[in-house]
Each structure stands twice: as structure tokens, then as C-alpha cells.
Amino acid sequence: MELRTEALLDLTHTAAAPLLKGTEYPWQALPEIGAFILGLGASLPGDEYDEIEEHVWLHRSVKRYPNNYIAGPCIIGPDTEVRPGAFIRGNALVGAGCVIGNSTELKNVIIFDSVQVPHYNYVGDSILGFKSHMGAGSITSNVKQDKTLVTIAMSDGQRIETGLKKFGAILGDHVEIGCNSVLNPGTVIGRDSRVYPLSMVRGAVPENSIYKRAGEITGIR
């Protein structure tokens, strides 16, 4: 499976393109998200974005419902909805036309345009590609139980070292995650793939695939 940034993500659909273009693999951007947002936020046009609190920039077309919390640094792009109960803990770069739903928690993430995390999702130390979607209750797990550095398990038995203690998941463009699934630390899912509901996913899933359970991955016909 190809894990390079350009194989997984269309960078024309994120304001994080300058950051991601400098990476070979997308997870290399995770430690730099906060600093990148601070630099980008300071350059945003004042007639389009409001800094509602220190280092929290919202496009004026954002639809923000009551009863949510947004910590900086954070940028939320045009026509995105932030629904009741959303908890954005900072280091969050959210694109255009997204849904950040009820009881959804974000932390240290890049959310591409047209992504939906609409119901009871936790997304931490992760990157969600263009038009990816996480079903209700699906979450990323971003720290291993033994607290060792995260590796990515490949289908041929290889393990790719990331050097990161915190790394949830990378979802390629147009990925669908079924309800109540868990994406374990170091999960990378290729473009246009789908994950069955109630799945526990670990490692790399090729593009144009259906993940049914561990050891059972089929191509999309």
C-alpha cells in the first residue's frame, strides 16, 4: 500500500496544503499543526474571518449552534456547522462545508473540506481527507495502552515506524467509517475505502477496499 501524502490526500481541499506539501507521509505534519494554525490565522482576511477568542478564527459563514466549546489555536472554514455539544480542544484546522456534530471531540487534527464527524465521534492526532465521513460513535484511539511509539502494521508483516507517541488515524479522501468502529493508533485507510460498522481497525487498509474484519479486506468492484 502507498502511504505517501500525495497518494492519500488531495491537497487542493485543505488550507493545510503548505504544511502537508512538506511531508513525505501525512502523519509527519501532526506535531506541527498548532504552530501552522497560529501562522495561518494571523494572515486570514479580517473581512472574512472573526477572531472570536484568542487564536480562534471562524469564517463568518460558520453556523455555530449553542452549547459548544472551542479552544485555540483553531481555524474553522466557510459554511461549516458546529453543532451543540461539540468540544474542540485546540490545534484544530477545520475546512469548508464540514459538520462537527453533537458530542464530537476534536484535538490536534486537520479536517479537510466536506468532512462529516456528526455524532459522538472522537478524533485526535489525526487527518481526515476530503469528503471522508465517520459514522455515529466511531472514534480514533491515539495512544497505545503501553505508551510506546506508534507503528503502522502493513499487510506483508512490515511495521512502519512513525516516531510518534500520539497518532490516531489518517483517512484518505472519500473514506467511509461505519458506526461504532474503533480506529486504533496508527491506522491508515486509503482513498475510497469503506469500513464495516462495529469494526476494530489496526494498520493500513488499501484504497478502494472494504474492511470487514481483521484479515478480511476485499476490493470494491
Side-chain angles (χ1 to χ4, degrees):
M1 175 182 170
E2 179 58 80
L3 299 179
R4 288 181 174 82
T5 301
E6 66 269 17
L8 294 165
L9 302 165
D10 180 350
L11 300 187
T12 65
H13 292 289
T14 177
L19 173 61
L20 288 164
K21 282 178 181 176
T23 65
E24 182 177 10
Y25 302 108
W27 58 84
Q28 294 169 335
L30 294 176
E32 311 299 328
I33 292 173
F36 179 80
I37 292 171
L38 289 173
L40 179 60
S43 70
L44 293 172
D47 60 342
E48 296 181 25
Y49 284 83
D50 292 321
E51 188 174 5
I52 62 167
E53 295 180 20
E54 186 177 22
H55 305 320
V56 177
W57 294 273
L58 269 59
H59 193 275
R60 291 183 178 179
S61 62
V62 168
K63 185 172 184 179
R64 184 182 181 188
Y65 291 80
N67 302 319
N68 48 54
Y69 175 81
I70 304 175
C74 175
I75 297 172
I76 300 179
D79 301 312
T80 284
E81 293 186 18
V82 182
R83 293 177 177 172
F87 180 28
I88 301 177
R89 291 169 49 192
N91 289 359
L93 179 56
V94 181
C98 297
V99 175
I100 310 302
N102 60 299
S103 302
T104 289
E105 181 178 349
L106 303 181
K107 172 254 180 187
N108 200 52
V109 293
I110 297 172
I111 307 292
F112 276 51
D113 298 341
S114 303
V115 169
Q116 295 189 351
V117 279
H119 313 286
Y120 309 103
N121 306 111
Y122 172 68
V123 185
D125 300 283
S126 298
I127 299 173
L128 307 188
F130 177 57
K131 285 193 175 180
S132 58
H133 171 258
M134 295 187 67
S138 61
I139 63 170
T140 65
S141 174
N142 58 335
V143 180
K144 295 172 64 176
Q145 288 185 337
D146 62 6
K147 307 301 189 290
T148 58
L149 298 180
V150 175
T151 60
I152 299 171
M154 305 296 289
S155 58
D156 60 3
Q158 279 189 304
R159 287 193 172 270
I160 308 298
E161 303 287 340
T162 70
L164 298 173
K165 184 177 178 181
K166 294 185 177 182
F167 169 20
I170 307 291
L171 304 188
D173 301 328
H174 301 278
V175 164
E176 290 280 342
I177 305 299
C179 296
N180 290 320
S181 292
V182 176
L183 308 181
N184 283 288
T187 294
V188 181
I189 301 180
R191 282 177 166 149
D192 300 300
S193 287
R194 308 171 197 161
V195 171
Y196 268 19
L198 299 173
S199 294
M200 186 178 70
V201 187
R202 184 183 301 278
V205 177
E207 64 181 17
N208 294 302
S209 297
I210 299 175
Y211 183 99
K212 298 181 179 180
R213 60 184 64 86
E216 188 176 353
I217 301 174
T218 63
I220 296 176
R221 297 175 182 175

